[in-house]
Amino acid sequence: MRGRACAALRRLVASGQGEAALSSSTPAVSSKLAVSSILRAASPACLSTLASSPAGPATLGSTAAAAVSTTPVQTAAGPAGSRGFAAAAAAVNSGGQLAQRVLQADPAKVDSGLVEAIRAVEPQAVPAVARAAQVTGIADKSFLEALAESAVRAMPDLGPGDICSVAEDLAELGCYNIAFKDALADHVLEKLEGFDGDMLGKTLRAFGSMHYYDDDLLEGVVSYVQANPGKFSTENIADVVYAFSKCGFCHPDLVGVVEHAAEKLMAEPVNEGGKAIADILDAYSRVGCSSPDAVDELVEKLPAHCSKFEPECLAKVTVATIRLGYDDSNLLVPMLDCTAEHLNSLSAKSIIKLIRVLGELGTLHRPLLDKVTDEVIPARLSEFKMMGLDDLVHSLNKLGYYNSEFLQLMKQVQHQRAGQAANEA
């Protein structure tokens, strides 16, 4: 859905007809509603890309305003009456104007007038305003506090799709607010049956990424997923498990949910470079629950399929396998061999994380370590932060691995970067 939404928005922005498409005299309300839905459905990354394009800011701003201002209003209680509809439509029109102002605001310092307007915005306009704030990358503390307050006030009037959208946007903005956390948990539980798998998974991932914790929400969601397995894809389950992993919370039903997902993954070919397998094992390895039999069976099959994994997914799976306590060399060595072949395709962060878990396990895989120290890091030194390099050297020491040329390089880098820091100070 998000890919199609982004493509549609690209066409609107490129044509400069975003606002015209909405403000036309077409009698069919559905055409206007469609563009508003596209705006809200498009991913944050897509909107950010469009906003940075030459014609993007102005066209995207007018599209946002028009989309919100022409959306028919229907609250949780049902369609408004004629007088109520007129009032609600006027409120949403005002919200559309606010969304356009937000898109044009200074991310670091929002003027007080706009902050107060956000604080007073009507519930129906909150999702579009939150998305505009995310696209703009607003970091102003007073603005974010006002937006969180308005989101709390809007929750009773928002449907599951809008709740998901607002949660994702506030998470992207790093807007941590306890009142919002409580309201989000309460209304997700209240409207749980209205969430499809994607909505619930993405909402829970946003909830976890903000390091929120709520027993009732986590227990309610995992029980619901356990009772309705057909409603959730393995990707959705990975999002749910991710929320649990960020909270460090294990629940008996979570084991059953992961077991069901593992059974599905074993019955399917490795799709999308192994992303679903990597995401579930990575998240589950952080929870601290025991591994069910289906997870054991899934892990045992990894060596036969590791060549089908994208490099980052392969690294994530290898790290998760070690974290889950699997130390059989017949399992790990083929995976590490395969990972060593793709080291140049891994991010610096993934390489540091991989060496760290090898140090924790005490697994000395010399071909991989030789390639990291002889080839990868010397060629890509600028990508590695000093703290990460220190961590890597510490892990190598734990393994008893010694490479004199690499250690000499690390001393030079440490000296150079210390000098640079002193000069900058």
Side-chain angles (χ1 to χ4, degrees):
M1 170 63 187
R2 290 196 167 194
R4 294 194 297 273
C6 186
L9 271 178
R10 286 184 191 279
R11 291 194 293 273
L12 283 172
V13 171
S15 66
Q17 297 175 345
E19 187 172 6
L22 290 167
S23 57
S24 65
S25 57
T26 304
V29 174
S30 61
S31 65
K32 298 179 179 181
L33 178 59
V35 183
S36 177
S37 299
I38 287 171
L39 179 72
R40 295 185 185 182
S43 69
C46 166
L47 290 170
S48 297
T49 301
L50 293 178
S52 63
S53 65
T59 307
L60 188 57
S62 62
T63 302
V68 179
S69 65
T70 56
T71 301
V73 177
Q74 180 172 332
T75 66
S82 57
R83 291 173 59 190
F85 182 89
V92 174
N93 180 59
S94 174
Q97 296 170 1
L98 270 181
Q100 189 168 8
R101 288 174 63 189
V102 171
L103 285 167
Q104 298 167 349
D106 178 354
K109 183 63 177 176
V110 178
D111 70 79
S112 58
L114 181 54
V115 171
E116 290 308 310
I118 294 298
R119 205 180 301 276
V121 71
E122 291 298 322
Q124 295 87 354
V126 167
V129 170
R131 181 52 53 91
Q134 191 281 323
V135 170
T136 311
I138 300 292
D140 183 275
K141 184 177 180 181
S142 59
F143 177 96
L144 295 178
E145 289 175 351
L147 179 59
E149 290 173 13
S150 294
V152 170
R153 188 163 38 83
M155 280 290 172
D157 298 305
L158 300 182
D162 282 337
I163 290 175
C164 174
S165 175
V166 171
E168 286 190 289
D169 290 332
L170 265 63
E172 287 285 336
L173 289 166
C175 183
Y176 183 89
N177 182 284
I178 295 299
F180 175 73
K181 183 269 290 186
D182 290 341
L184 179 62
D186 290 344
H187 287 282
V188 169
L189 282 174
E190 180 183 322
K191 302 166 184 177
L192 196 53
E193 292 190 1
F195 282 81
D196 64 23
D198 284 341
M199 288 178 196
L200 188 59
K202 292 180 185 303
T203 302
L204 264 289
R205 179 168 281 274
F207 188 89
S209 69
M210 289 187 277
H211 299 282
Y212 289 154
Y213 181 89
D214 187 284
D215 278 344
D216 291 339
L217 175 64
L218 294 174
E219 291 182 6
V221 166
V222 77
S223 297
Y224 182 74
V225 175
Q226 174 80 329
N228 300 274
K231 193 173 181 179
F232 299 91
S233 68
T234 51
E235 288 83 0
N236 301 154
I237 292 172
D239 286 336
V240 172
V241 177
Y242 172 84
F244 277 77
S245 72
K246 298 298 284 187
C247 299
F249 182 68
C250 188
H251 188 280
D253 284 346
L254 185 66
V255 178
V257 166
V258 171
E259 184 166 28
H260 177 74
E263 289 170 351
K264 287 179 67 175
L265 288 168
M266 282 190 291
E268 300 170 355
V270 177
N271 293 321
E272 296 185 13
K275 185 178 183 303
I277 296 173
D279 286 349
I280 284 185
L281 290 181
D282 176 62
Y284 194 65
S285 71
R286 302 169 189 270
V287 176
C289 296
S290 60
S291 299
D293 290 343
V295 171
D296 291 340
E297 293 175 22
L298 178 62
V299 170
E300 288 171 2
K301 292 186 176 183
L302 291 176
H305 299 283
C306 63
S307 61
K308 300 176 183 177
F309 283 72
E310 292 292 333
E312 286 291 338
C313 291
L314 177 60
K316 186 183 286 189
V317 164
T318 303
V319 169
T321 300
I322 294 171
R323 279 188 181 147
L324 286 167
Y326 298 95
D327 57 4
D328 184 351
S329 61
N330 292 326
L331 171 68
L332 293 179
V333 170
M335 295 174 67
L336 291 170
D337 287 343
C338 195
T339 304
E341 295 176 8
H342 299 284
L343 281 171
N344 283 317
S345 300
L346 297 182
S347 67
K349 183 178 180 180
S350 294
I351 291 171
I352 297 293
K353 191 180 296 184
L354 178 62
I355 303 303
R356 183 188 301 133
V357 296
L358 290 177
E360 292 169 356
L361 181 65
T363 298
L364 179 63
H365 189 281
R366 192 165 292 278
L368 185 147
L369 299 180
D370 286 344
K371 188 169 183 177
V372 167
T373 56
D374 290 339
E375 300 176 26
V376 177
I377 292 181
R380 298 166 52 189
L381 200 51
S382 62
E383 299 176 31
F384 291 81
K385 296 180 179 179
M386 198 65 236
M387 185 178 296
L389 291 173
D390 288 341
D391 191 8
L392 185 141
V393 170
H394 178 67
S395 298
L396 294 177
N397 288 338
K398 289 172 69 174
L399 290 168
Y401 178 85
Y402 181 75
N403 183 321
S404 60
E405 292 182 4
F406 179 74
L407 291 177
Q408 184 62 34
L409 175 63
M410 290 299 97
K411 290 178 182 179
Q412 293 173 2
V413 171
Q414 188 174 37
H415 179 72
Q416 290 172 356
R417 294 189 181 180
Q420 291 172 356
N423 291 335
E424 290 172 1

